Amino acid sequence: MIDATETLRRELVDLLPRLRRFGRTVTRHREDADDLVQISIERALTRAGQWQVGTRLDSWMFRIMQNAWIDELRARARHGQTFVAEEEGEHVGVSTTDTQIDAIAVRKAVAQLGDDHRSVVGLVLVEGLPYKEAADVLGIPIGTLTSRLARAREALQAILSTEGAVP
Amino acid sequence: MTLISDELLMAYADGELDAATRSEVERAIAADASLAERARKQAGLRQRLQAAFQPVLADPVPERLLQAVATAPPSNKVLDMASARAAREGRVARPSAPGWAAWGGMAASVLLGVLIGKVLPDASQEATAFEIAGGQLVARGAIEQGLSTQLASAPVAGATVAVQLSFVDKAGRYCRTFSTATVAGLACRDGAHWTLQNSAPVEGAAVGAMRQAASALPAAILAAVDQRLAGAPLNAVAEEAALRAGWRR
């Protein structure tokens, strides 16, 4: 007999790599990302009854992460840590092929975006959520989502073209 | 022809258009090279972002996240990032940190196949699994081999011994838990040997044809781990490094 919480745990195990990836996009920092994933798992399991088996777990988890991250940003602001440096020289992988150089440039470009834009980019462009799902995760109207996404894309194109990265 | 905005091209690149609008955009793109270039840029950026963050998926998941999935919520206390960070940096013991005994129950269900390998034991090997050397029980045969060569983070299908956890004990030695179909134990590295610290029979060990290594460790073994664990268990990276170093520190 498997209860809903156990089902949730199983699905969370499979989802962990994507949660960590979204965390990385949002926080720009490896350890912060894992801290964020950890507390979001704890929050999710505390309110396991709110998740309905069969609905999108990724969206539900991204929403919890997004809210937890906003809490963290507010806490940092209260403590005067308004600026949190992005992690320097983060390389996933060791060789330096063109693809990996481009990947580093792209990740750095994303890190230069504002918090609102990073969330949208993470949800739609990296995690591949439909606009409607992404808007629900962020609790914003779909029109706000698409205009943020358009601005974030322009900003990314601008950053990447001035840095002369691989087109 | 309607004017194609950047926002429409963006929605096209993101697969957000209905079939009719999509074919309209495609017709427009086919007829206009500069429009095609703008569409290519939108799609290209999406692809670059996906490629840039793809490697993160292959990054080994840290033990603490698997543990959180398996054991949370230990209490109703909802943590914030500051306490997660403090716990990670070892400044404050997390009040809600679950005891290792919690692994027992969850191992059977959640992390089966993630942390713990299924094995097909050969009962005849257990008779010669240990021998006495220097007053200690030293692992031999399949158990010794399993302890030395298996990664808890990468279970070997079809192996005769399962290894679940690796950690450094308070004496600074590498220690690992293992199980077969009938017995589970904790062994620590002393010089060139794995010496047995604790062992316990596996509850409900079946006597029959197809038997698998215990997926849940007996409470006695978990308690022994709890007692000896110096810090956190090794993550996948640290474990692999330890294996490469021949379990010497």
Side-chain angles (χ1 to χ4, degrees):
Chain A
M1 190 62 194
I2 295 161
D3 67 16
T5 306
E6 288 309 302
T7 307
L8 179 58
R9 289 187 207 275
R10 279 162 203 259
E11 299 209 5
L12 278 173
V13 169
D14 293 339
L15 201 56
L16 276 174
R18 286 187 60 215
L19 298 181
R20 296 183 73 215
R21 179 171 65 179
F22 181 60
R24 209 79 76 90
T25 314
V26 170
T27 67
R28 303 175 286 183
H29 191 283
R30 184 196 181 95
E31 295 297 339
D32 280 352
D34 285 345
D35 288 348
L36 180 62
V37 172
Q38 185 179 332
I39 63 155
S40 300
I41 288 167
E42 287 165 358
R43 288 184 182 191
L45 289 167
T46 306
R47 55 180 99 143
Q50 289 175 23
W51 177 63
Q52 295 182 326
V53 178
T55 62
R56 283 189 77 135
L57 180 59
D58 58 354
S59 297
W60 190 63
M61 286 305 299
F62 292 148
R63 183 155 54 240
I64 292 173
M65 288 176 71
Q66 177 67 23
N67 291 337
W69 179 240
I70 289 169
D71 290 349
E72 166 70 5
L73 289 177
R74 286 185 186 140
R76 287 182 185 182
R78 273 199 304 279
H79 294 104
Q81 301 163 271
T82 46
F83 178 74
V84 178
E86 71 196 74
E87 193 163 29
E88 288 299 324
E90 195 209 322
H91 297 237
V92 186
V94 284
S95 65
T96 49
T97 62
D98 286 351
T99 315
Q100 280 162 326
I101 292 168
D102 188 56
I104 291 163
V106 171
R107 288 199 298 265
K108 281 203 79 77
V110 172
Q112 290 175 51
L113 298 176
D115 288 308
D116 286 352
H117 286 180
R118 279 204 315 284
S119 303
V120 170
V121 164
L123 290 171
V124 176
L125 298 181
V126 180
E127 297 306 325
L129 257 57
Y131 291 174
K132 178 76 177 65
E133 288 283 336
D136 286 350
V137 166
L138 298 172
I140 56 176
I142 198 157
T144 308
L145 178 104
T146 52
S147 62
R148 270 187 204 173
L149 182 61
R151 284 200 303 272
R153 271 181 145 116
E154 278 166 28
L156 283 174
Q157 296 281 21
I159 295 165
L160 290 167
S161 62
T162 54
E163 288 184 355
V166 187
Chain B
M1 187 186 297
T2 51
L3 183 69
I4 308 282
S5 68
D6 269 335
E7 211 147 306
L8 191 58
L9 284 177
M10 177 181 93
Y12 172 69
D14 292 337
E16 290 282 334
L17 299 181
D18 58 55
T21 317
R22 190 168 60 239
S23 40
E24 197 181 317
V25 170
E26 277 165 1
R27 274 197 303 277
I29 286 171
D32 183 340
S34 74
L35 198 57
E37 173 61 19
R38 279 162 60 203
R40 196 187 65 79
K41 267 195 158 171
Q42 293 282 5
L45 186 63
R46 188 183 170 98
Q47 279 164 14
R48 283 174 76 182
L49 277 156
Q50 282 175 355
F53 286 91
Q54 187 70 18
V56 178
L57 294 180
D59 192 30
V61 174
E63 197 77 38
R64 65 182 170 113
L65 296 185
L66 291 168
Q67 191 193 337
V69 171
T71 61
S75 71
N76 290 328
K77 184 171 155 53
V78 174
L79 292 149
D80 55 17
M81 280 185 69
S83 38
R85 185 161 48 244
R88 164 164 57 76
E89 290 169 356
R91 289 199 304 261
V92 189
R94 290 181 65 186
S96 58
W100 281 98
W103 282 85
M106 70 76 195
S109 52
V110 181
L111 299 187
L112 187 71
V114 177
L115 290 180
I116 294 168
K118 296 176 183 175
V119 303
L120 297 172
D122 177 0
S124 67
Q125 288 182 321
E126 281 169 21
T128 55
F130 294 93
E131 66 178 43
I132 297 169
Q136 299 262 38
L137 274 173
V138 173
R140 289 285 179 248
I143 292 180
E144 179 185 21
Q145 204 191 346
L147 287 168
S148 295
T149 62
Q150 283 191 39
L151 290 171
S153 55
V156 182
T160 52
V161 175
V163 175
Q164 296 85 8
L165 275 177
S166 307
F167 63 94
V168 173
D169 76 355
K170 289 169 184 162
R173 304 174 296 180
Y174 284 118
C175 297
R176 313 189 79 197
T177 65
F178 65 90
S179 65
T180 70
T182 54
V183 69
L186 172 66
C188 295
R189 190 73 173 176
D190 284 310
H193 302 297
W194 290 104
T195 55
L196 189 69
Q197 311 295 313
N198 282 85
S199 69
V202 169
E203 268 179 55
V207 180
M210 280 284 287
R211 296 186 303 170
Q212 298 181 336
S215 51
L217 287 170
I221 303 303
L222 293 162
V225 172
D226 236 350
Q227 208 172 47
R228 288 161 194 274
L229 190 67
L234 302 185
N235 63 21
V237 176
E239 189 186 44
E240 201 176 337
L243 187 148
R244 286 218 192 92
W247 305 100
R248 284 165 214 279
R249 300 187 78 234

